[in-house]
Amino acid sequence: MRAVAVYPRKQEVKLIERPEPRIASATEVRIRMLEVGVCGTDKELCAFVYGTPPPGSDHFILGHESLGEVCEVGRDVKDLQPGDLVVGSVRLPCHDAACEACRNGTQDFCSTGNHREHGIKSLDGFMADFVVEDRAWLHVVPQSLREVAVLVEPLTIAEKAVHEAVRVQSRLPWKASGPRALVLGAGAVGLLGALKLIQEGYQTYIYSLLPAPNPSAAIAQFIGATYISSREVPVDEMAVHLDHIDLVYEALGAAQLAFDVLERLAPNGVFVFTGVPRAESLQPFNTASVIANLVLKNQAILGIVNSGRQAFVDAIRDLGIFHARWPGVLEAMITGRFPMEQFLDPVTGRAGGIKNIIRIAT
Ligand SMILES: [Zn+2]
Ligand SMILES: [Zn+2]
């Protein structure tokens, strides 16, 4: 079968041939991969910034945003059948008996650092014709979401971020009426976050680099978010709006804007980082004033990494809700579909657009 493989030591990424994986235990499922989404993580893996092959291998298969179709199940798998659509978990637990997070199905909170991640850390990913996975790590998707279900995994970021932020803000002695959220970044993670925040009742602003008109701004307008370009409205002017923002959801590739907004976070506000900034792109900022604000304005800064079982369950449910509430919007986020042979266009960033997909089978 075909697979896209990363060789970190040789600094090579290429299409390879591999033997098809076979079911080796009664709880495993063989999956024909349909689509795999590409994101900033894949671009960094292909630039060899990080990425760890499985033990004993010099390469790993890329891809963590998956959609596949069941083609064979182990004899103990009673609730799946050939033709069912499934999305795989990315992060799998560590083996440490003392890791409460992993022992309780919340491996996104793993405390040992020995968790594994498909297509990123110590496990092969999904950018291959076939994958074998244990039933425990698969999430069933309704057939009605076939064309957009590759967005489930990136949506788990928004699910976890909003869930955690709401929990943090439950510390406030009142409940904000008409809460406001600011989304930083208008890529797929930003737009999916905006959908989730609007669904949760937030008046939502999206603050991103590019001036309108552009495809993300059009989506923002359609879903009822206010799109603001940082080129047209610099952060100092934006601060007028920021006074009333209860929640900032960061989903930027470049983080300087995030830190500029952080310095202007409203009293009692919560700021959720969903991405890791590239250190070389940051200017020094006034740490003392950020910490003074944290204390004197009761602010909270939160980092989140996706994602446990519940976030996948919530993402599949919400994807169905978004699909019905805003027809065509999820489809419009998928701006490019590429055959596996053309994987370099999306993984190098050459392709542009909001969300690019490798279409493996139809
Ligand atoms: Zn991703
Ligand atoms: Zn763990």
Side-chain angles (χ1 to χ4, degrees), residues 94 99 102 110-112:
C94 73
C99 182
C102 289
C110 178
S111 56
T112 66

Side-chain angles (χ1 to χ4, degrees), residues 47-176:
F48 317 105
V49 179
Y50 47 82
T52 313
S57 177
D58 64 345
H59 67 281
F60 63 94
I61 297 175
L62 191 67
H64 58 277
E65 303 180 2
S66 72
L67 173 66
E69 184 183 75
V70 172
C71 51
E72 185 188 353
V73 299
R75 68 173 183 279
D76 288 352
V77 179
K78 304 294 184 202
D79 60 343
L80 282 183
Q81 51 191 5
D84 285 348
L85 296 178
V86 287
V87 170
S89 281
V90 177
R91 186 181 279 209
L92 269 49
C94 73
H95 297 299
D96 192 324
C99 182
E100 293 287 348
C102 289
R103 301 290 71 79
N104 289 293
T106 51
Q107 59 271 19
D108 47 324
F109 289 96
C110 178
S111 56
T112 66
N114 296 325
H115 57 270
R116 299 153 294 152
E117 289 171 330
H118 281 294
I120 302 169
K121 183 174 185 284
S122 312
L123 289 174
D124 279 326
F126 302 118
M127 214 177 275
D129 285 318
F130 292 94
V131 165
V132 166
E133 179 61 300
D134 198 274
R135 170 68 186 94
W137 313 121
L138 296 172
H139 311 278
V140 181
V141 176
Q143 297 286 345
S144 57
L145 297 178
R146 166 70 181 80
E147 287 305 307
V148 293
V150 71
L151 297 173
V152 165
E153 196 280 339
L155 179 55
T156 65
I157 298 169
E159 295 292 344
K160 181 171 176 183
V162 174
H163 179 75
E164 295 291 311
V166 168
R167 283 176 75 181
V168 169
Q169 290 310 69
S170 70
R171 71 201 168 117
L172 298 178
W174 67 89
K175 193 163 165 35

